[in-house]
Amino acid sequence: MNRKDREDKFQVWLIHMDDAIDVFKRKLPEDVSGNLDYSPASLDILEGWLLSRYSSKEDIKRESESIIFDGSARYLGEAFRKTLGGRWIINFKDRADIFYGIPQLSDMSGQEVPFSPLTTVTACFSRRTGNYFSTILRNLRKKADAGM
């Protein structure tokens, strides 16, 4: 697939953001999905559920779990974007970039480098804190509020 085709595919991915998050939420237990309001507390609910369901990042990355993995990353990214601003981007120019070909958020207040929701979802399995997502969000919010 050439670069233009990959960029077009990313644009389709963006266009379907809300629908994909709705499909993702329907796959979750009601006590989880009913509390996903893009707040920091909702990130803890999602992370807690992910940690209870999957023992490792390899488990969530299985093809059979693609709706949950993609949906978790989309939801996490949208929670950050709604709180800190920014926009979704993808890099197909620099193959040496650690986030090459991975959707990420850029231009968020308080954040100088792009943020990758996909890699953050997988990182929560090695951290296993239950508040990894919300801690990152709160720290970035504090940094933005301090004008850093």
Side-chain angles (χ1 to χ4, degrees):
M1 187 181 314
N2 66 37
R3 185 170 141 196
K4 182 180 178 344
D5 290 342
R6 290 189 308 248
E7 288 172 354
D8 289 347
K9 187 176 178 181
F10 174 65
Q11 291 305 313
V12 170
W13 184 86
L14 285 175
I15 289 166
H16 293 287
M17 182 69 69
D18 293 338
D19 291 337
I21 290 173
D22 287 343
V23 169
F24 160 67
K25 286 181 174 181
R26 288 195 297 271
K27 295 279 188 185
L28 302 174
E30 196 172 306
D31 62 323
V32 175
S33 65
N35 288 298
L36 297 185
D37 60 3
Y38 299 100
S39 67
S42 76
L43 297 179
D44 292 345
I45 291 166
L46 175 60
E47 185 176 342
W49 181 79
L50 290 171
L51 292 173
S52 72
R53 180 172 167 121
Y54 304 101
S55 60
S56 70
K57 68 181 178 181
E58 290 77 24
D59 290 343
I60 196 172
K61 290 171 74 174
R62 289 182 304 210
E63 181 64 31
S64 62
E65 302 304 309
S66 63
I67 290 173
I68 299 297
F69 184 37
D70 179 67
S72 296
R74 285 176 184 262
Y75 179 82
L76 178 63
E78 284 295 282
F80 275 60
R81 191 183 64 75
K82 289 172 187 284
T83 302
L84 299 169
R87 61 189 175 86
W88 286 97
I89 63 166
I90 199 161
N91 172 11
F92 289 120
K93 295 177 185 170
D94 181 4
R95 289 186 181 270
D97 186 323
I98 192 168
F99 298 140
Y100 175 83
I102 299 173
Q104 52 196 303
L105 287 169
S106 181
D107 303 324
M108 293 186 310
S109 60
Q111 179 72 3
E112 295 175 15
V113 297
F115 169 76
S116 169
L118 274 171
T119 59
T120 303
V121 168
T122 59
C124 86
F125 295 102
S126 61
R127 306 307 192 275
R128 301 201 76 79
T129 63
N131 65 354
Y132 179 64
F133 301 156
S134 65
T135 298
I136 295 170
L137 181 61
R138 285 185 179 105
N139 287 341
L140 290 175
R141 185 72 207 172
K142 284 179 191 173
K143 187 176 175 183
D145 289 347
M148 301 170 94

